[in-house]
Amino acid sequence: MKHDKVGSVMTTDVVNATTDTPFKEVARLLADHRISGLPVLDEDDKVIGVVSETDLMVRQAATAGPYEHRHLPTSMGQWTRGARRQAAKAEARTAGELMSAPPVTVHAEDTIAAAARTMAQRHVERLPVLDVENRLVGIVTRRDLLRVFLRPDPEIRQEVIDEVLVHALWVPPSTVEVSVTEGVVTLTGHMERQAETEIAVSMTRQVDGVVDVVDRLTYRVDDTRVREQQALHGAADDWLRGL
């Protein structure tokens, strides 16, 4: 199965900062390039943190007005870890002091699906992309990952036929009708075993650009019981080998 890699959709011209980049320069970079965040690099081009608009806002929000006084706990021991981190950012003058670390990153060889899961789980909008030596080679955003869903329906249909039915299941293309509308794949036809229908549906869901799969497949043999017995025998064999 072919899955587009992060490297195929990432932006290679990455706006970045170093730990010594001044606060105002970071703000200018974000504004000039209309981006919401940028990676912070060390001397080996390795990502050690990320500065976002939120980090800058924390710095500005903590700045007291001309008639205001900052109210801070009298003892650092009273602060939570998060409070100490926010207080440090409130005094930040450089990207190194502003950044959030450790950074959330992906590798160029990771799949688009894996990157999307990372973004969703970590609640981030962009991910620095690393090479095999963990050096920065690009940046990928939510918009970049969504490009996969712009894949044409005929292209999706052909991959389902070639990769799922023919190459993986050895099923003649005439056995199953594949239709794709707006990324929704409908599989219609009659297969030999129930297991084959389940595999066909599961693999089709993994094809890049597929939004959903409508399963209209039927089967001649219900091999559910056979698979359950094989699993039971396998468990019994493992138990006996452990005696």
Side-chain angles (χ1 to χ4, degrees), residues 69-220:
H69 297 282
R70 295 179 62 190
H71 300 285
L72 300 176
T74 56
S75 171
M76 287 291 285
Q78 300 176 17
W79 294 17
T80 64
R81 181 181 298 178
R84 288 194 294 270
R85 187 182 301 117
Q86 294 296 82
K89 288 186 180 183
E91 303 291 342
R93 295 183 178 180
T94 65
E97 295 169 341
L98 277 168
M99 70 183 187
S100 297
V104 182
T105 62
V106 292
H107 284 82
E109 288 302 307
D110 290 343
T111 64
I112 289 175
R117 282 194 296 271
T118 298
M119 279 190 182
Q121 292 168 358
R122 302 300 295 271
H123 306 288
V124 294
E125 296 182 358
R126 57 183 55 233
L127 294 168
V129 183
L130 312 181
D131 62 14
V132 293
E133 297 180 345
N134 290 326
R135 288 187 171 85
L136 182 71
V137 292
I139 197 93
V140 66
T141 66
R142 291 180 179 179
R143 180 173 297 179
D144 295 328
L145 299 184
L146 288 174
R147 291 181 195 170
V148 68
F149 293 108
L150 300 179
R151 194 177 185 193
D153 289 343
E155 189 175 310
I156 295 173
R157 177 179 180 274
Q158 195 59 49
E159 182 169 341
V160 172
I161 293 172
D162 293 343
E163 301 296 331
V164 177
L165 299 180
V166 177
H167 292 163
L169 294 174
W170 293 4
V171 173
S174 58
T175 304
V176 176
E177 179 185 347
V178 181
S179 62
V180 185
T181 303
E182 297 295 325
V184 178
V185 180
T186 300
L187 301 176
T188 307
H190 190 73
M191 304 184 77
E192 180 66 17
R193 295 175 294 141
Q194 181 182 2
E196 292 177 333
T197 67
E198 294 173 355
I199 293 171
V201 171
S202 177
M203 292 187 69
T204 298
R205 289 188 190 281
Q206 298 177 49
V207 171
D208 294 326
V210 171
V211 175
D212 198 4
V213 179
V214 178
D215 179 9
R216 294 180 180 168
L217 296 171
T218 58
Y219 49 86
R220 188 181 70 83

Side-chain angles (χ1 to χ4, degrees), residues 10-17 38-41 44-47 105-106 127-131 133-139:
M10 70 182 184
T11 299
T12 56
D13 185 14
V14 185
V15 179
N16 60 76
L38 52 79
V40 180
L41 310 183
D44 294 323
D45 287 337
K46 293 185 177 180
V47 183
T105 62
V106 292
L127 294 168
V129 183
L130 312 181
D131 62 14
E133 297 180 345
N134 290 326
R135 288 187 171 85
L136 182 71
V137 292
I139 197 93

Side-chain angles (χ1 to χ4, degrees), residues 213-230:
V213 179
V214 178
D215 179 9
R216 294 180 180 168
L217 296 171
T218 58
Y219 49 86
R220 188 181 70 83
V221 177
D222 183 352
D223 56 347
T224 305
R225 184 176 298 276
V226 174
R227 282 181 285 155
E228 290 175 350
Q229 290 175 345
Q230 289 174 339

